[in-house]
Amino acid sequence: MSLFDMTATDLLAQLQSGGATSVEVTQAFLARIDCHDKSVGAFLRVNREAALAQAERVDRKRACGEPLGRLSGLPVAIKDVLCTAGEPTTCASRMLEEFRPPYDATVVARLKAADAVLIGKTNMDEFAMGGSTENSAFQLTRNPWDLQRIPGGSSGGAAACVAASMAPLSIGTDTGGSIRQPAGLCGVTGMKPTYGRVSRYGLVAFASSLDQAGPLARTAEDAAMLLEVIAGHDRLDSTSVDRPVPSYSQSVRRPLEGLRLGLAREHFGEGLDPEVEKAVREAVRVYESLGATVHDVSLPHSKYAVATYYIIAPCEASSNLARYDGVHYGYRTDQSDRVAELETELASRRAETSATVLDEIDNPLVRMYRRSRAEGFGAEVKRRIMLGTYALSAGYYDAYYLKALKVRRLIRRDFDEAFAQVDLIAGPVAPTPAFKIGERVNDPLSMYLFDLYTVSTNLAGIGGISIPCGLSSAGLPIGLHLQSPPFAEDCLLRAAHMFQQATDWHTRKPVLD
Amino acid sequence: MSISRSEVEKVSLLARLRLSDDELDRMTAEMAQILRYMELLAEATTDQVQPMAHPVDVTDVFREDQVRSSLSREQALANAPHHDDEYYRVPAVLGEA
């Protein structure tokens, strides 16, 4: 078996037994990137030299018998929304094309402390807004299973690079499904931990009450190893929760006895592709054969989840993205033609009575903000900033934002009541397998509705994982979504591992020419 | 609740975005469609329901006030599109542009 085909767990065993060096492992993945990333487009940047230098450092430490971190010598890809000190961190936006953060995100710092090899930064929807990675300002990422199809998003690069064996481990972020949905569509394992489990320090904010970083990998075992490194309290993020990090990588192999699995009828309604439903129901039967019991649960408010999410997330985004003003960092419009333009417009619009118009065009600073943001942001980011600004504006706040926050509470209560009866809730992660590139770009609402099974996890702040559970007749991966009560990552990972011991869907790989 | 083109234009000023005529047309149609979908929430009964702004009950955290190093001026200015040795540079706010 080639090094790039191995799981991270097996690679680590190879490194520890002397079967391979970190330089060899890193070179194997770099070669794989050279061969296939031109067609897949998962990476925005590959840190070839830095990665090899780090691999050499780890090999040297290992040869000298020095103590090593838990990921010593394993390549890890990072979604380009996490700050890497001195290296570009673009969020796939023109706005941050030139931005070089002065510090590392805590997740990145922890990976470095664990002696990981940071191999590159992966593509995503601009500012993590989207579900297809088509909103990247720089490039498309293609699904390795069918290059005409989307990889999902927003962590499309993070999922595609694992699916195409260009990295054994990768870090994504999930605000409404952005780890789990691409993991499902690309046939890999991806987890959104409970809100607060992983520090958000240095994760460029989209929606602060929903954002959470998490692992993508081939297997639950690998995801457990990666989560164990990045999880934990951080004094630089006061919303990270101060509770001990269980030893996920130790417990993951222990099967769950008497697992109670919930099925919500709301997850099997209109719009669900029959092939996806069949694969998910078959996966549930696998759990039954492993001794799990299946129970009907009800999540009556889940029909409001997409509407609630697409109010709250844009509201938080409009506030968070106000920082991109063309002053402190990020893109600024070319100002050379500003004065002439100002004079022309003032003359032509002086007759207008609207005070706001005159205020605005009379103020060169506001004009600079508006132009910089208009030129620096893409269409979807603008749409969400507009929706959020509108929903928070005077006269609409109660009807939209406040109403959504109340429904959010009801969605959380549904889960609390369901989890009083079951340990995990199983369902589809996405209504269909990956769709074709370009198919939905002109229909934002249909893109939003694609998120119907994942957004409620973030609204409630609970945990979720997607694991491969089948292939469609067209040969496209189908993901099983498991949701857990807060801080039950251990249970999610163990359940995922049980399934992966009994099935081989997670071992299937796309054929790349 | 439908949204008009002039409302969209006003929101674009609040959002500090400048939208072209084409963008304004498209944005008005898309926002109207999306907001129509949001009307679904009106049917949810939310009397007596406390709004949930955050999944974690965040409480104030106190610590000793310690002097620590922070970004140097040079680092803080390094990413600015326009700056001099000491300050971020912006277009004049008052008086002549």
Side-chain angles (χ1 to χ4, degrees):
Chain A
M1 188 187 261
S2 312
L3 288 171
F4 61 76
D5 272 329
M6 294 170 70
T7 64
T9 304
D10 289 345
L11 284 170
L12 194 59
Q14 286 286 313
L15 291 167
Q16 285 164 346
S17 70
T21 65
S22 176
V23 168
E24 286 164 355
V25 170
T26 304
Q27 275 169 340
F29 285 99
L30 287 171
R32 185 81 187 160
I33 292 169
D34 287 341
C35 288
H36 298 295
D37 205 39
K38 267 191 207 68
S39 54
V40 175
F43 284 92
L44 287 173
R45 279 174 313 285
V46 177
N47 302 331
R48 184 174 307 274
E49 280 152 35
L52 285 170
Q54 164 69 357
E56 264 175 50
R57 243 186 331 266
V58 176
D59 284 338
R60 224 170 19 244
K61 274 169 87 171
R62 185 171 265 124
C64 297
E66 286 176 39
L68 288 164
R70 279 175 293 182
L71 299 175
S72 51
L74 285 178
V76 182
I78 312 276
K79 184 177 180 181
D80 209 23
V81 70
L82 289 152
C83 286
T84 42
E87 302 289 334
T89 298
T90 68
C91 295
S93 180
R94 297 255 170 251
M95 184 56 83
L96 292 178
E97 197 167 359
E98 307 293 330
F99 177 58
R100 286 165 188 264
Y103 58 86
D104 277 329
T106 296
V107 166
V108 171
R110 287 184 182 209
L111 291 171
K112 287 182 176 173
D115 291 319
V117 171
L118 305 187
I119 196 165
K121 303 286 292 277
T122 56
N123 196 24
M124 55 188 280
D125 285 298
E126 184 178 8
F127 285 104
M129 297 179 193
S132 66
T133 313
E134 291 167 292
N135 296 330
S136 167
F138 303 122
Q139 67 192 41
L140 279 175
T141 297
R142 294 169 182 278
N143 192 312
W145 292 83
D146 178 348
L147 298 176
Q148 302 311 310
R149 291 177 188 269
I150 56 121
S154 67
S155 309
C161 75
V162 174
S165 305
M166 298 189 291
L169 297 170
S170 100
I171 301 285
T173 61
D174 190 315
T175 304
S178 282
I179 290 174
R180 293 161 289 153
Q181 182 256 38
L185 302 188
C186 287
V188 303
T189 301
M191 178 199 249
K192 182 203 98 73
T194 305
Y195 184 88
R197 181 72 291 182
V198 177
S199 168
R200 291 182 300 109
Y201 180 74
L203 191 181
V204 179
F206 157 16
S208 305
S209 83
L210 304 164
D211 296 339
Q212 188 67 191
L216 292 104
R218 290 209 164 285
T219 65
E221 267 186 311
D222 289 1
M225 176 163 72
L226 189 51
L227 179 64
E228 196 172 310
V229 168
I230 62 172
H233 180 248
D234 176 12
R235 66 172 180 81
L236 298 173
D237 172 9
S238 59
T239 64
S240 70
V241 173
D242 193 1
R243 48 192 286 166
V245 178
S247 180
Y248 303 117
S249 61
Q250 296 298 311
S251 62
V252 64
R253 279 177 286 274
R254 225 169 55 234
L256 291 158
E257 290 188 25
L259 173 65
R260 297 168 304 164
L261 214 52
L263 288 186
R265 89 180 69 85
E266 293 83 0
H267 291 161
F268 295 90
E270 203 187 325
L272 179 60
D273 181 294
E275 286 193 314
V276 174
E277 173 162 4
K278 189 161 166 276
V280 168
R281 293 204 184 271
E282 181 53 38
V284 172
R285 274 191 289 278
V286 170
Y287 276 108
E288 283 180 295
S289 76
L290 297 171
T293 53
V294 177
H295 310 263
D296 286 327
V297 294
S298 176
L299 301 170
H301 296 93
S302 57
K303 63 177 167 182
Y304 304 123
V306 171
T308 303
Y309 177 83
Y310 278 99
I311 293 171
I312 293 173
C315 283
E316 294 190 21
S318 73
S319 171
N320 272 326
L321 271 64
R323 73 190 62 177
Y324 302 106
D325 56 4
V327 175
H328 301 89
Y329 51 88
Y331 175 85
R332 183 190 289 196
T333 187
D334 178 11
Q335 288 167 283
S336 53
D337 54 353
R338 186 171 43 79
V339 176
E341 183 197 75
L342 189 63
E343 280 167 4
T344 319
E345 258 187 62
L346 266 175
S348 73
R349 294 175 81 170
R350 193 154 275 145
E352 288 185 37
T353 49
S354 164
T356 43
V357 169
L358 282 177
D359 277 353
E360 184 255 320
I361 62 174
D362 208 19
N363 184 334
L365 186 59
V366 170
R367 175 169 292 256
M368 186 280 283
Y369 292 152
R370 294 186 75 183
R371 281 184 53 154
S372 299
R373 290 162 62 81
E375 292 163 17
F377 291 138
E380 181 60 29
V381 172
K382 288 181 194 175
R383 201 176 290 127
R384 297 209 193 180
I385 290 174
M386 290 290 292
L387 277 170
T389 307
Y390 177 73
L392 290 173
S393 66
Y396 298 105
Y397 180 92
D398 286 2
Y400 290 106
Y401 185 60
L402 197 60
K403 180 77 183 183
L405 292 184
K406 289 178 177 177
V407 180
R408 181 180 191 180
R409 170 88 54 198
L410 297 174
I411 289 169
R412 170 65 189 247
R413 274 188 203 159
D414 284 355
F415 279 112
D416 289 344
E417 283 165 26
F419 286 129
Q421 302 162 49
V422 297
D423 302 307
L424 299 173
I425 295 172
V429 75
T432 72
F435 51 85
K436 289 225 164 91
I437 290 168
E439 198 175 294
R440 295 181 188 230
V441 281
N442 291 318
D443 190 354
L445 186 58
S446 88
M447 202 72 106
Y448 297 173
L449 291 169
F450 200 73
D451 299 342
L452 81 168
Y453 303 129
T454 49
V455 288
S456 48
T457 318
N458 304 72
L459 290 169
I462 60 176
I465 196 168
S466 177
I467 53 176
C469 73
L471 289 173
S472 72
S473 50
L476 298 168
I478 295 169
L480 174 73
H481 190 206
L482 299 173
Q483 290 172 286
S484 76
F487 299 101
E489 283 75 14
D490 165 73
C491 181
L492 278 177
L493 290 162
R494 288 167 69 186
H497 182 70
M498 272 169 81
F499 186 79
Q500 294 180 339
Q501 289 302 102
T503 62
D504 66 356
W505 297 111
H506 63 292
T507 66
R508 309 290 181 94
K509 287 171 187 172
V511 179
L512 287 162
D513 298 329
Chain B
M1 257 189 286
S2 192
I3 188 163
S4 68
R5 194 178 191 277
S6 65
E7 275 180 295
V8 173
E9 192 170 12
K10 187 181 144 218
V11 172
S12 78
L13 172 59
L14 295 176
R16 296 292 185 260
L17 282 171
R18 183 186 165 109
L19 301 180
S20 69
D21 280 349
D22 281 355
E23 278 181 308
L24 274 174
D25 289 340
R26 209 165 44 241
M27 191 71 79
T28 305
E30 286 168 351
M31 285 178 74
Q33 187 202 18
I34 293 163
L35 292 171
R36 233 181 349 263
Y37 178 74
M38 304 305 186
E39 285 170 17
L40 179 65
L41 291 189
E43 68 172 56
T45 313
T46 51
D47 308 335
Q48 314 292 321
V49 177
Q50 281 296 312
M52 175 177 165
H54 207 271
V56 175
D57 290 324
V58 187
T59 50
D60 291 331
V61 179
F62 295 94
R63 61 164 172 79
E64 291 305 308
D65 186 15
Q66 293 159 334
V67 178
R68 279 198 297 261
S69 58
S70 59
L71 290 186
S72 66
R73 175 185 277 161
E74 199 178 41
Q75 283 178 306
L77 291 172
N79 279 293
H82 290 270
H83 64 89
D84 58 23
D85 290 343
E86 291 173 274
Y87 298 107
Y88 298 107
R89 303 289 301 186
V90 296
V93 180
L94 302 171
E96 291 301 302

